[in-house]
């Protein structure tokens, strides 16, 4: 396959969009439940607690990608992402807005930041994403961000769905999502153009598609963890447990 | 806590055994199902296919630990593990015996070795284990192997349970498990002695416990992935699907 002629830019873009249509996490049962008002308060709490870890690692991921870009212009463009998430001053930035969401859901900030109660599936998936950007080619590192082609749609579904169904979330606590779509579009357009320009052989194009598949799996795996732990109430030992759940016996019967 | 007096060796060992009693994967619903004859043939196939990835990475993990051991005697001891899994010649070793199990379950060896159909949860958890050994202290890297304190028990349950309930497995195809307990005991005794001797402060002892908790999470997360995908039939896009399952439409409705 990698000795085939390269796809045209239009064909590669279509292939990437098809990957999103087949694998992006808006298809996941947890998201359908969350967006349609089917989640309990505790499920929303768990989602936000775990999602914070992912968001808190995005600047780390983006700094890692920055280490792979040898062009000043490329780094100048990519640096905007770190600024979006870390902000320009105290109280600014996407990471901070996620903390306001977890604040509103009753979590102490120290607990959220320490990531003590998160699922191992969350940690392993997110850490795999950073490691991917550290060890794969720069093209793949950039390509792994291409889920942002699809995020404006899911953000729209999420904001309208959650505002409509959960009286415990407000437009203010969902502020991260309101700010994100124009940034995501800008980032996705740049990353797509980068990949179309730099993936010149069929083999490189396959790597771009695989990188997007990988990133879709990073997002999907996190929701799988949430479903088992908080919808089915079969959590791994040691993770956050809602106060409403029964206490565990000190030592489980072996 | 880390300024408290260190635990005695007996107290630390008891703490580690309690961690196993609370977190080891013999407690997982997938294992209870597998060992009691409740798994379908396809679930056993999926378990073996995914488990192969973990086993195939154990020599990589052990070589990684080897890079962290500065004592010739320690490395000489740890090297035995690589020999157990990779063997002394073609056709020998634990990894090869897992391939005989996947052979017996109908998988082509190239497919199994390429790890094409495995769950992302498997890959992320296993890769996290290798990365842990690469980046944490040598003490933590050794401590992460301490689940071998508990494996002889689960291996006993597994072999007797699977032989009793599944006519498609034989003692020969479960040969890996028959050979493993004495090796696991030898390895676990050495690793426990290493940890008890080298974890001198309370803080170091806490790291040893955390490393074992981490490893338990690596094993648990893999079974969570199998449960969602193959017991509940809610797999992530792109993984192995049994032939008996319906074909997917080419593009899922978004």
């Amino acid at each position: 396959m990698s000795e085939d002629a390269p796809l045209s830019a239009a064909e590669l873009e279509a292939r990437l969009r098809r990957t999103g249509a087949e694998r992006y996490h808006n298809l996941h049962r947890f998201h359908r439940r969350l967006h349609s008002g089917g989640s309990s308060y505790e499920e929303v709490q768990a989602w936000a607690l775990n999602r914070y870890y992912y968001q808190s690692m995005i600047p780390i991921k983006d700094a890692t990608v920055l280490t792979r870009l040898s062009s000043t212009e490329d780094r100048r463009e990519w640096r905007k992402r770190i600024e979006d998430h870390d902000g320009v001053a105290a109280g600014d930035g996407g990471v901070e807005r996620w903390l306001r969401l977890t604040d509103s859901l009753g979590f102490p900030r120290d607990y959220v930041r320490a990531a003590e109660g998160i699922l191992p599936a969350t940690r392993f998936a997110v850490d795999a994403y950073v490691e991917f950007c550290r060890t794969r080619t720069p093209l793949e590192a950039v390509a792994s961000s291409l889920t942002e082609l699809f995020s404006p749609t899911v953000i729209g579904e999420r904001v309208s769905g959650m505002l409509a169904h959960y009286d415990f979330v407000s437009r203010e606590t969902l502020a991260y999502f309101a700010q994100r779509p124009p940034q995501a579009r800008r980032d996705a357009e740049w990353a797509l153009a980068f990949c179309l320009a730099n993936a010149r052989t069929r083999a490189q194009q396959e790597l771009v598609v695989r990188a997007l598949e990988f990133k879709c799996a990073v997002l999907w795996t996190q929701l799988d963890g949430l479903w088992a732990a908080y919808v089915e109430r079969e959590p791994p030992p040691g993770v956050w447990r809602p106060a409403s759940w029964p206490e565990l016996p000190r030592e489980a019967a072996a």
Side-chain angles (χ1 to χ4, degrees), chain A residues 74-235:
Chain A
D74 290 345
R75 287 197 302 271
R76 207 180 281 133
E77 187 68 35
W78 201 270
R79 222 173 66 217
K80 295 176 187 171
R81 297 164 178 258
I82 305 180
E83 189 177 294
D84 288 341
H85 291 287
D86 280 340
V88 295
D92 183 44
V95 177
E96 170 69 21
R97 289 195 291 279
W98 276 93
L99 281 172
R100 290 187 206 145
L101 177 59
T102 55
D103 288 346
S104 77
L105 295 167
F107 288 111
R109 284 199 174 197
D110 285 353
Y111 181 75
V112 175
R113 282 198 188 101
E116 284 283 350
I118 66 170
L119 294 158
T122 301
R123 191 183 297 275
F124 298 159
V126 172
D127 291 356
Y129 185 25
V130 180
E131 189 64 5
F132 185 95
C133 293
R134 190 181 75 81
T135 56
R136 298 297 182 106
T137 60
L139 175 63
E140 292 165 276
V142 170
S144 67
S145 73
L146 286 171
T147 44
E148 286 172 324
L149 290 169
F150 320 122
S151 68
T153 307
V154 74
I155 286 174
E157 292 170 8
R158 182 177 302 147
V159 172
S160 56
M162 291 181 75
L163 287 176
H165 295 288
Y166 304 118
D167 56 15
F168 54 82
V169 294
S170 67
R171 220 169 257 293
E172 187 185 39
T173 49
L174 298 183
Y176 171 85
F177 299 113
Q179 303 210 26
R180 193 67 202 137
Q183 295 168 340
R185 283 193 186 93
R186 173 205 75 204
D187 291 345
E189 279 167 21
W190 190 90
L192 180 61
F194 181 99
C195 290
L196 296 179
N198 287 283
R200 283 181 279 278
T201 65
R202 186 62 178 268
Q204 287 172 321
Q205 293 174 334
E206 289 293 326
L207 288 177
V208 168
V209 174
R210 292 287 181 140
L212 178 57
E213 290 175 352
F214 162 79
K215 173 64 174 301
C216 288
V218 166
L219 298 173
W220 194 281
T221 299
Q222 294 178 66
L223 298 184
D224 274 350
L226 286 166
W227 186 274
Y230 298 104
V231 177
E232 296 184 346
R233 301 202 178 190
E234 292 277 354

Side-chain angles (χ1 to χ4, degrees), chain A residues 30 34 43-51 98 158 177 226:
Chain A
F30 190 92
L34 180 70
E43 288 163 32
V44 178
Q45 284 181 299
W47 170 75
L49 179 69
N50 279 269
R51 182 66 187 254
W98 276 93
R158 182 177 302 147
F177 299 113
L226 286 166

